[in-house]
Amino acid sequence: MAREFTSVGVVGLGTMGAGIVEVFARNGIDVVAVEISAAALERGRVTLTGSTDRAVAKGKLAAADRDALLSRVNFQVGLDALHSVDLVIEAVPEHLDLKQRIFAELDRVCKPEAILATNTSSLSVTEISVATTRPNQVIGIHFFNPAPVMKLVEVVRTVVTSAEVVADVEALCARLGKVDVTINDRAGFIANALLFGYLNHAVSMLESRYATREDIDAAMKLGCGLPMGPLALMDLIGLDTAYEILDTMYRRGGRDRRHAPVPLIKQMVTAGLLGRKSGRGFYTYERPGSPVVVPDEQTPVASESALADGARGIAKVGVVGSGTMATGIIEVFAKAGYEVVSVTRGAEKSAKVFESVKTSLNKGVVRGKLSEADRDAALGRINWSATLEHLADVDLVVEAVVEELSVKKALFASLDEICKPGVVLATTTSSLPVIDVAMATQRPADVVGLHFFNPAPIMPLVEVVQTIRTSTETTATAKAVCATLGKTGVVCGDRSGFIVNALLFPYLNDAVKMLEASYSTADDIDYAMKLGCGYPMGPFELLDVVGLDVSLAIQRELYLELREPGFAPAPLLEHLVTAGYLGRKSGRGFRDHTRR
Ligand SMILES: NC(=O)c1ccc[n+]([C@@H]2O[C@H](COP(=O)([O-])OP(=O)(O)OC[C@H]3O[C@@H](n4cnc5c(N)ncnc54)[C@H](O)[C@@H]3O)[C@@H](O)[C@H]2O)c1
């Protein structure tokens, strides 16, 4: 029989603590909520009432249930109030000495059988536990932000945590409606160990002006389907907390440079820019604690017209290639009203592309998204050709041929000869340096990357890649074209992986390394990222969809360009590829897909 928890204590009512109080009280458990001062207690109370009032306003909680919930919470200053609770969760700032002091005090105040839990994200639960005389009753219960919403709880057992305590806490998580994964005490556990390298990398992109905050966040939301971008997430976590987590992970996790906090984070913390809780972090919020972003001096000003930014007018577009990307891109441009010249390597290929575009447009008609007249008009706007000479009068060329530098360079040299002056030449490469392609022409200022995502008609993101020779007019034109296609164009520098792949693949590779180290299972790692961080797919699900060979190739490129030791491809990934386990397409990757 699992232990019955009738009353629990929560220490620290900040970003996490207030949410944890709500989770318990919502599930009928009495809570003693403790803070360090009357003022901090009041702030915690306001956070809790604000959150429950919002739930009532959204119709997710009845007013009477809110009142019952709030009546279960006993707000107190000082730890002495915790003398008779069955379990305490500590959620004070991420400092080992502070947590150790609090645990020593809790050990003195709480009844002998009480379980003492920490919500630490990165500190050693073991080190915290030895500050007490009952380390076997100390455990990590790591909630995710916002605690009332996120389904996951990481239960962290140390080498001395008793099996009974682990079982009791697992049963408690189930009672709270949470899904738990139980793991050993390692820096960052599952989710943060995979998340924080990515967050830190995103901040370094901003710090080096590789891309703007809006573009970095839009890229990860639209390119990967994440609930929020990395910089908005840093603001939600709190920059002070994020700094401490990174710093601890760097020290505890083998001094991986990717966890050394980017200097900008420390500067912002020193300047009091802590994120949502202080009203300002990477973004500016309506007021402290508010989720509503308001414009500030960094907010891009929407110009009256794209032409004001020097964008050139584009009416006729050439698309070179006949593969998946070219086919999707032809459809996108034709649907948006552009006159399109498709150039393939022969009539047979053109016929195939035509059939694919028609089939795809027909699906739109069947789903009621496109009228038959619009479909016919779109198809009518496409001219089919097998010679580049027909690109002499287009305003924009989008190249989507095979991903081989020699082929692309030869093509761009030909385009340079054929196309009229002022044309924008774009490559859809996802891994080659755009500057190499640009230098195959005499007009590198007119060359830009337009990295569409697959399937192009559906994915809302395009990375606009500017090289050190791309002119501002060319970039402005590319951005304006994306807007007319109904897509978000994010501008970034010409570095391996652009924004999305550079941030995504090292995270996937880290997940493979974690599996390889036997820290957790593929299922639990997938759960952790989906239920703890709101990812639409776990890393192993995604790797199997993308293809392990493709993922390995991208990871190798990133490693070769940046020479970052942490980017070295996971040996397990290499072995799986060598063994022919490439993911869904080969029937087996991290999972066996033949048995479904
Ligand atoms: N922010 C997140 O997204 C997140 C997610 C999961 C876990 N965590 C972990 O949760 C813990 C708390 O982080 P946070 O972001 O909520 O921090 P926070 O700074 O928002 O809140 C900490 C609270 O602790 C209070 N406090 C400080 N000293 C105290 C004391 N001696 N007694 C009682 N209260 C005291 C402070 O007044 C403050 O209200 C950290 O260990 C953090 O790593 C954070």
Side-chain angles (χ1 to χ4, degrees):
M1 260 294 277
R3 179 194 308 224
E4 198 39 46
F5 294 94
T6 48
S7 83
V8 303
V10 175
V11 183
L13 306 178
T15 307
M16 288 310 292
I20 296 170
V21 169
E22 184 177 336
V23 171
F24 281 111
R26 237 184 211 228
N27 286 283
I29 299 174
D30 289 335
V31 186
V32 181
V34 168
E35 259 291 353
I36 194 167
S37 65
L41 194 66
E42 189 48 31
R43 268 201 311 274
R45 191 204 301 270
V46 169
T47 308
L48 178 65
T49 46
S51 170
T52 48
D53 286 351
R54 277 196 301 276
V56 171
K58 283 188 195 153
K60 290 187 174 168
L61 186 70
D65 290 341
R66 173 205 44 207
D67 298 343
L69 185 164
L70 294 175
S71 74
R72 283 186 205 109
V73 186
N74 171 11
F75 290 94
Q76 295 289 339
V77 172
L79 300 177
D80 285 337
L82 299 169
H83 51 80
S84 53
V85 298
D86 304 313
L87 172 140
V88 179
I89 297 195
E90 160 280 312
V92 304
E94 191 79 342
H95 297 291
L96 182 61
D97 50 347
L98 172 65
K99 294 202 190 252
Q100 283 183 324
R101 250 188 294 127
I102 287 186
F103 271 72
E105 188 65 12
L106 288 174
D107 191 32
R108 192 184 56 75
V109 168
C110 295
K111 56 189 188 189
E113 64 275 22
I115 294 175
L116 306 181
T118 172
N119 184 50
T120 183
S121 308
S122 57
L123 293 167
S124 160
V125 179
T126 315
E127 281 182 64
I128 295 171
S129 76
V130 294
T132 74
T133 59
R134 53 177 115 175
N136 58 333
Q137 281 162 244
V138 175
I139 193 164
I141 305 184
H142 184 230
F143 284 88
F144 285 76
N145 189 0
V149 179
M150 302 313 285
K151 275 248 166 258
L152 184 78
V153 174
E154 288 174 324
V155 174
V156 186
R157 60 174 169 230
T158 72
V159 285
V160 292
T161 310
S162 88
E164 227 177 18
V165 167
V166 174
D168 289 342
V169 167
E170 286 173 342
L172 175 65
C173 290
R175 178 173 167 199
L176 299 175
K178 301 287 183 193
V179 174
D180 76 274
V181 294
T182 301
I183 42 185
N184 295 333
D185 186 15
R186 193 177 112 158
F189 316 128
I190 297 178
N192 286 347
L194 298 180
L195 189 68
F196 271 82
Y198 147 72
L199 295 178
N200 206 32
H201 190 178
V203 178
S204 78
M205 282 183 174
L206 182 74
E207 193 189 53
S208 62
R209 297 175 194 272
Y210 179 67
T212 63
R213 62 180 186 190
E214 281 83 5
D215 280 0
I216 293 170
D217 278 353
M220 295 314 285
K221 271 172 67 173
L222 303 178
C224 302
L226 302 186
M228 57 172 68
L231 302 172
L233 179 55
M234 288 286 285
D235 276 358
L236 175 68
I237 292 169
L239 268 69
D240 49 347
T241 302
Y243 176 87
E244 295 301 335
I245 294 173
L246 280 165
D247 191 49
T248 311
M249 287 188 34
Y250 175 74
R251 283 185 280 107
R252 283 186 70 207
R255 302 199 175 254
D256 184 337
R257 279 205 319 238
R258 293 176 303 155
H259 292 138
V262 168
L264 178 62
I265 302 174
K266 180 74 180 200
Q267 288 161 21
M268 290 176 70
V269 172
T270 309
L273 309 178
L274 305 183
R276 272 193 203 184
K277 62 181 160 191
S278 71
R280 184 151 182 193
F282 289 106
Y283 295 91
T284 303
Y285 299 85
E286 213 171 28
R287 63 192 131 67
S290 162
V292 180
V293 173
V294 293
D296 59 20
E297 67 283 358
Q298 284 179 50
T299 306
V301 202
S303 24
E304 294 284 296
S305 84
L307 296 179
D309 296 334
R312 297 173 200 153
I314 304 284
K316 195 168 177 182
V317 179
V319 181
V320 187
S322 52
T324 313
M325 290 315 288
T327 307
I329 291 167
I330 290 168
E331 177 184 334
V332 167
F333 276 101
K335 241 181 6 195
Y338 289 93
E339 195 184 335
V340 179
V341 182
S342 155
V343 179
T344 72
R345 279 171 299 159
E348 220 174 280
K349 297 236 183 252
S350 291
K352 227 181 93 206
V353 177
F354 171 76
E355 280 308 318
S356 303
V357 172
K358 200 167 85 178
T359 307
S360 177
L361 289 172
N362 277 339
K363 276 190 198 147
V365 174
V366 171
R367 292 201 190 112
K369 290 188 175 163
L370 192 71
S371 70
E372 289 188 9
D374 286 345
R375 172 200 59 197
D376 296 342
L379 284 172
R381 279 192 283 270
I382 310 172
N383 307 288
W384 303 95
S385 165
T387 164
L388 292 174
E389 310 298 330
H390 286 133
L391 299 177
D393 65 341
V394 299
D395 307 308
L396 163 72
V397 179
V398 181
E399 164 278 311
V401 303
V402 66
E403 189 78 341
E404 259 176 49
L405 189 56
S406 57
V407 177
K408 295 202 193 263
K409 277 167 90 166
L411 174 63
F412 272 73
S414 305
L415 292 173
D416 195 20
E417 307 253 302
I418 294 164
C419 295
K420 66 181 185 191
V423 61
V424 169
L425 301 177
T427 170
T428 57
T429 182
S430 40
S431 62
L432 301 169
V434 177
I435 189 70
D436 277 340
V437 177
M439 295 312 287
T441 72
Q442 303 296 315
R443 41 175 129 176
D446 296 330
V447 179
V448 70
L450 271 183
H451 185 226
F452 285 83
F453 288 72
N454 188 15
I458 293 172
M459 294 297 285
L461 183 74
V462 179
E463 286 171 319
V464 175
V465 186
Q466 53 182 2
T467 76
I468 45 174
R469 301 279 303 258
T470 308
S471 72
T472 48
E473 293 76 30
T474 302
T475 306
T477 309
K479 263 207 89 161
V481 165
C482 293
T484 60
L485 297 176
K487 309 225 179 263
T488 299
V490 295
V491 179
C492 65
D494 182 22
R495 299 234 315 243
S496 182
F498 309 135
I499 300 175
V500 173
N501 287 355
L503 290 177
L504 178 68
F505 282 88
Y507 143 76
L508 297 175
N509 193 48
D510 283 345
V512 181
K513 288 183 187 165
M514 183 179 275
L515 181 70
E516 196 169 14
S518 299
Y519 180 59
S520 188
T521 62
D523 285 351
D524 277 359
I525 296 172
D526 276 353
Y527 274 136
M529 297 317 292
K530 285 196 289 191
L531 303 179
C533 306
Y535 280 47
M537 275 190 214
F540 297 105
E541 279 174 278
L542 186 57
L543 280 159
D544 273 5
V545 169
V546 172
L548 273 57
D549 50 344
V550 173
S551 307
L552 178 61
I554 294 174
Q555 191 60 31
R556 277 198 183 129
E557 289 286 340
L558 288 170
Y559 178 53
L560 282 178
E561 180 170 292
L562 300 169
R563 308 293 162 107
E564 165 57 60
F567 285 175
L572 176 61
L573 187 60
E574 308 218 16
H575 289 191
L576 288 166
V577 172
T578 309
Y581 295 165
L582 306 183
R584 276 177 189 268
K585 60 185 169 188
S586 72
R588 182 162 176 181
F590 285 96
R591 297 197 171 89
D592 186 347
H593 300 280
T594 55
R595 284 179 299 164
R596 299 180 187 197

